[in-house]
Amino acid sequence: MNEMDKTTLSEDIRTALRMVIDPEIGKNIVDLGLVYDIAVEEGGVVSVTMTTTTRFCPATDFLKEAVQACVWYVPGVEYAEVRLTYEPPWTPDMMLDVA
Amino acid sequence: MPGATLSRWTMSYFAAACLMLVAGQGLMVAGYGYPFADISAPETLVVVHLIAIGWLSLLMAGALLQFVPVLIARPVIGGRFAMPALLLLLGGLGCLLGGFVALSGALDLPLALLPIGGVMLLAGFGLFAGILAVTLLSARPLPLPARFVATGLAALVGAALIGSAFTATLSGFTESPLLDRLVADGVALHAALGLGGWLSATAVGVSYRLFSMFLLAPEVERSTSRAAWWGASVAVGLVVVAVVFVLSGIFGAALLFAAALLLTLMAVMLYGADVLHIYRGRKRKQAELNIRASFAALGLCALSILLLNVPSLRSGNMVAAVVYLFVFGWLTGLGLAQLYKIVAFLTWLEAYGPVLGRAPVPRVQDLVDERHALILFRLYYGAVGIAVLSLAAGTTGFFRMAVAGQLLSTLCLIREFIRARRLSIVPAALRAPAGMVRPRLFLPLSAFQGDK
């Protein structure tokens, strides 16, 4: 897997994650800036680092599970790991598009 | 574990609370309690406790079980005791109301129901406060919104202790000059701890976080917010000292109570300034209906606290009107406004959370019909305004019609909550994706979905 393949896979994942919405805001988590990083390693091993708008929001586990499920379905992904972080904490300024 | 942060019993607390609100308003429409009976008559006590414990306290308890984890970023400890606490509270309230009915002489019920109800309520509130106290202790140092909740819990314990002492005295099971003085001069203090300390301080604390969350505004702990918490906490402390003064027969309780009201007014003004700051810093262009309806409640809170600070309005018809404004304008208005959002939010999590990322799902906002609910909130607040003016003017006929308007709007809002639970408003194409589990109306989540 060369660098271009990794970049392509990363973009495919980013596109797929646009299907996952934050239920409260109604916008997808990518445009909201909740996906901090998508790291693609050799062999289609993917690590997604994400956050939620509010720490310990009741939707947190559902969002994490949704990202996990979504990434697994992207062709080329052999293994996916989702990591939740609050460093840095999300702020509304991270949104690509104002809700 | 998916959904582990959902509180299993919150919806059951809410359902019981809504039933009590309907029952309380229904009794008033039927001409039961004040102003059709004396302000301290047992009939009035039935209505007051149906609203204060049955509606407002159950609503607040259910909401805190769900949202305290959001305030402190930790799960609730001992969430399995939420159901026993609910049963104790419902049983205790039933006995208490039965005891008041016995006092009124309308039915031949045993007066022992009063102290039994008092003890059960003390146990129920104690259990609930214990769950949250242990949870909050695990998260020290507490963020500011959670400190408001801690103040509210302390006031709840105080109000419940005084209330159970009242039941022992009123039923004749205990004869003590100490408690006789408390019954004679401590009713306002009991109400202040319950309606002000417990229900209002916690509502303010949770709303700091919810307003920022729903308006997409940055969360900043301002000096005004800290001053508001200090003001509210010292006010609760002054009321507790006033209770000690009353019990000891020391002069000065009224002065302490007046000082507590003044501090509360200051705290409410600071809180209002903070809410305005949050609103101005929002990223969401249009505030949703629950926020707009909450702002109306906040305005009525400030108005009622301002009026309570006028000594001449703290007696007779006027105090009843002002307290009515506080209970139905502020606390109930805020409660209905937030329920409108929270019911849809929790329903979304139950129904669509498990299929998120696997199928297209609606937004939380797709579960409600704001245009319809806006009319209902306008009707509700309009009816409250007329009811307050009728109480002040002593026109019972108008009051009854106004409460009928409140009851109608409440019933229609409850219908909206049920429509949200049943996903009736969700566009058909998104309503039932594969794998979706339809939520129960008010029964708890299954064990694997909820907290432990």
Side-chain angles (χ1 to χ4, degrees):
Chain A
M1 189 175 246
N2 59 35
E3 284 308 310
M4 185 172 276
D5 291 340
K6 288 180 184 175
T7 307
T8 306
L9 184 55
S10 174
E11 278 312 304
D12 289 348
I13 291 168
R14 198 171 291 278
T15 304
L17 287 178
R18 287 201 162 87
M19 178 187 178
V20 181
I21 61 163
D22 179 283
E24 172 48 34
I25 302 170
K27 299 276 178 186
N28 74 72
I29 59 169
V30 175
D31 291 348
L32 284 173
L34 296 175
V35 178
Y36 284 174
D37 185 47
I38 300 171
V40 178
E41 304 295 333
E42 282 302 319
V45 175
V46 175
S47 174
V48 177
T49 305
M50 64 170 290
T51 192
T52 57
T53 54
T54 304
R55 200 179 166 95
F56 223 78
C57 159
T60 301
D61 289 342
F62 290 127
L63 283 165
K64 193 178 167 196
E65 286 286 313
V67 169
Q68 180 96 33
C70 204
V71 173
W72 270 109
Y73 278 107
V74 176
V77 174
E78 297 300 326
Y79 178 78
E81 186 184 71
V82 180
R83 198 171 68 86
L84 198 65
T85 183
Y86 290 97
E87 289 301 329
W90 181 85
T91 67
D93 296 328
M94 294 177 180
M95 290 190 290
L96 294 180
D97 183 27
V98 174
Chain B
M1 178 187 297
T5 47
L6 278 176
S7 159
R8 280 191 76 197
W9 292 95
T10 286
M11 208 52 77
S12 306
Y13 273 76
F14 288 169
C18 287
L19 285 176
M20 301 296 175
L21 176 61
V22 169
Q25 291 181 130
L27 284 176
M28 284 191 279
V29 172
Y32 193 83
Y34 187 84
F36 313 99
D38 190 72
I39 202 161
S40 57
E43 292 87 344
T44 305
L45 296 178
V46 168
V47 177
V48 164
H49 289 86
L50 205 49
I51 296 297
I53 297 174
W55 157 237
L56 293 170
S57 294
L58 290 185
L59 173 72
M60 183 56 73
L64 288 177
L65 287 169
Q66 181 62 65
F67 287 103
V68 160
V70 181
L71 302 187
I72 60 171
R74 279 167 197 261
V76 163
I77 298 172
R80 63 184 179 279
F81 295 114
M83 192 270 281
L86 176 62
L87 292 178
L88 280 168
L89 291 172
L90 286 174
L93 180 61
C95 289
L96 185 77
L97 300 183
F100 288 141
V101 172
L103 265 185
S104 75
L107 288 174
D108 190 20
L109 295 172
L111 262 180
L113 284 173
L114 264 183
I116 292 171
V119 169
M120 285 178 77
L121 284 170
L122 192 58
F125 280 129
L127 189 54
F128 167 76
I131 296 169
L132 290 196
V134 171
T135 303
L136 291 177
L137 282 172
S138 73
R140 285 176 300 166
L142 292 177
L144 191 70
R147 272 183 267 158
F148 275 97
V149 175
T151 299
L153 288 179
L156 170 65
V157 172
L161 280 170
I162 297 172
S164 60
F166 282 168
T167 60
T169 310
L170 289 172
S171 61
F173 271 64
T174 310
E175 282 188 23
S176 150
L178 211 77
L179 294 180
D180 287 345
R181 277 200 295 272
L182 192 62
V183 172
D185 299 323
V187 174
L189 303 174
H190 173 58
L193 284 176
L195 299 175
W198 154 232
L199 292 164
S200 299
T202 43
V204 164
V206 175
S207 71
Y208 267 116
R209 177 59 59 87
L210 291 188
F211 283 155
S212 297
M213 202 166 108
F214 292 144
L215 285 168
L216 297 182
E219 284 179 45
V220 185
E221 199 174 298
R222 304 171 76 210
S223 55
T224 46
S225 319
R226 285 191 290 274
W229 175 71
W230 273 108
S233 301
V234 173
V236 167
L238 286 176
V239 174
V240 171
V241 175
V243 171
V244 176
F245 275 28
V246 168
L247 282 169
S248 320
I250 301 172
F251 174 77
L255 207 63
L256 287 175
F257 186 56
L261 281 174
L262 200 61
L263 267 176
T264 306
L265 180 63
M266 181 208 79
V268 168
M269 293 304 169
L270 292 169
Y271 167 60
D274 287 339
V275 172
L276 205 62
H277 179 81
I278 292 170
Y279 184 75
R280 285 183 178 148
R282 75 191 188 282
K283 288 282 178 181
R284 199 165 217 161
K285 289 170 193 159
Q286 173 75 39
E288 292 175 339
L289 180 59
N290 67 305
I291 296 289
R292 285 178 276 147
S294 297
F295 284 172
L298 178 55
L300 296 178
C301 171
L303 178 62
S304 49
I305 294 293
L306 183 68
L307 293 174
L308 276 175
N309 272 279
V310 180
S312 61
L313 299 182
R314 287 208 291 269
S315 61
N317 279 3
M318 290 313 294
V319 74
V322 177
V323 170
Y324 192 93
L325 181 65
F326 189 79
V327 168
F328 286 98
W330 156 236
L331 290 171
T332 302
L334 182 78
L336 288 170
Q338 291 305 318
L339 254 191
Y340 183 71
K341 181 74 189 186
I342 294 169
V343 167
F345 184 55
L346 296 183
T347 304
W348 188 98
L349 292 174
E350 284 178 58
Y352 300 112
V355 294
L356 184 63
R358 297 166 177 85
V361 293
R363 305 166 303 156
V364 173
Q365 202 58 12
D366 292 328
L367 274 68
V368 295
D369 175 5
E370 281 205 354
R371 279 183 310 169
H372 192 193
L374 175 63
I375 298 166
L376 298 175
F377 276 110
R378 282 182 176 157
L379 173 63
Y380 175 79
Y381 281 117
V384 169
I386 295 170
V388 169
L389 293 174
S390 308
L391 277 179
T395 51
T396 53
F398 273 118
F399 174 74
R400 221 160 149 169
M401 279 195 291
V403 180
Q406 271 180 231
L407 179 59
L408 177 68
S409 53
T410 304
L411 284 169
C412 292
L413 279 170
I414 291 171
R415 181 174 168 268
E416 292 299 299
F417 303 156
I418 293 171
R419 289 175 76 204
R421 291 294 291 167
R422 293 200 166 139
L423 312 173
S424 309
I425 300 164
V426 179
L430 293 172
R431 189 175 299 150
M436 186 270 280
V437 179
R438 199 168 277 275
R440 296 168 175 176
L441 189 56
F442 64 89
L443 286 170
L445 305 158
S446 55
F448 70 89
Q449 276 183 296
D451 56 15
K452 295 287 176 289

